[in-house]
Structure formats: C-alpha cells, structure tokens
Amino acid sequence: ESLISRAVVVDLTQVKPDQVRFGTRVKLQNLDEKQTEQYIVMGMWEANAESRIISYLTPFGLQLMGRKVGEDIL
C-alpha cells in the first residue's frame, strides 16, 4: 500500500532524451564484441528481462541513470 500510495504516472512522451532517466530507451554498444543492445529503463514493477526492460533500482539500472550520450560505463 505504501508503494502504491506514492506511485506517479509518467507520460513517456514527455521524457527528455538528453540523459538516462525513468522511461528512457537506451542503446549500448559493447566495444569488445562490436554489438549493440537496447534497453528501456523503468521501475521495478515494469521490469521484464525478456523484453529488455530494466529497473532503475537494479545495479545495472543505477549505473545508467544520469548518463549522457557518449558516456562510458564499465
């Protein structure tokens, strides 16, 4: 109940693509394997590994949050 009472509806059409945040579609390039992967950063309830939707609360999601185009992650 506590989580539901604090829930906020986010209009994904209003999410600015200048940096990674909730609702952002992210393309990552693996420089070693020369492959591109795409993810959507959402909340814990929307997360779905098969659909490549990750929660911003996971370690991977937290690494992405706030990053800008061209930044590296290790």
Side-chain angles (χ1 to χ4, degrees):
E1 288 182 27
S2 175
L3 288 174
I4 292 173
S5 70
R6 292 181 283 145
V8 176
V9 176
V10 175
D11 181 355
L12 297 180
T13 64
Q14 300 300 312
V15 176
K16 295 179 183 177
D18 60 336
Q19 71 181 62
V20 179
R21 56 185 68 142
F22 185 93
T24 304
R25 184 177 307 269
V26 180
K27 283 186 182 179
L28 301 175
Q29 184 176 15
N30 182 324
L31 299 176
D32 294 333
E33 298 178 21
K34 308 288 189 237
Q35 293 180 346
T36 300
E37 299 176 357
Q38 190 165 281
Y39 299 92
I40 300 173
V41 181
M42 298 293 282
M44 65 182 174
W45 301 111
E46 297 91 2
N48 181 324
E50 291 177 11
S51 298
R52 296 190 176 267
I53 300 172
I54 60 169
S55 169
Y56 70 93
L57 298 171
T58 63
F60 183 46
L62 288 170
Q63 270 196 321
L64 295 173
M65 293 299 285
R67 300 288 182 153
K68 295 181 180 179
V69 174
E71 284 192 53
D72 293 336
I73 21 177
L74 304 174

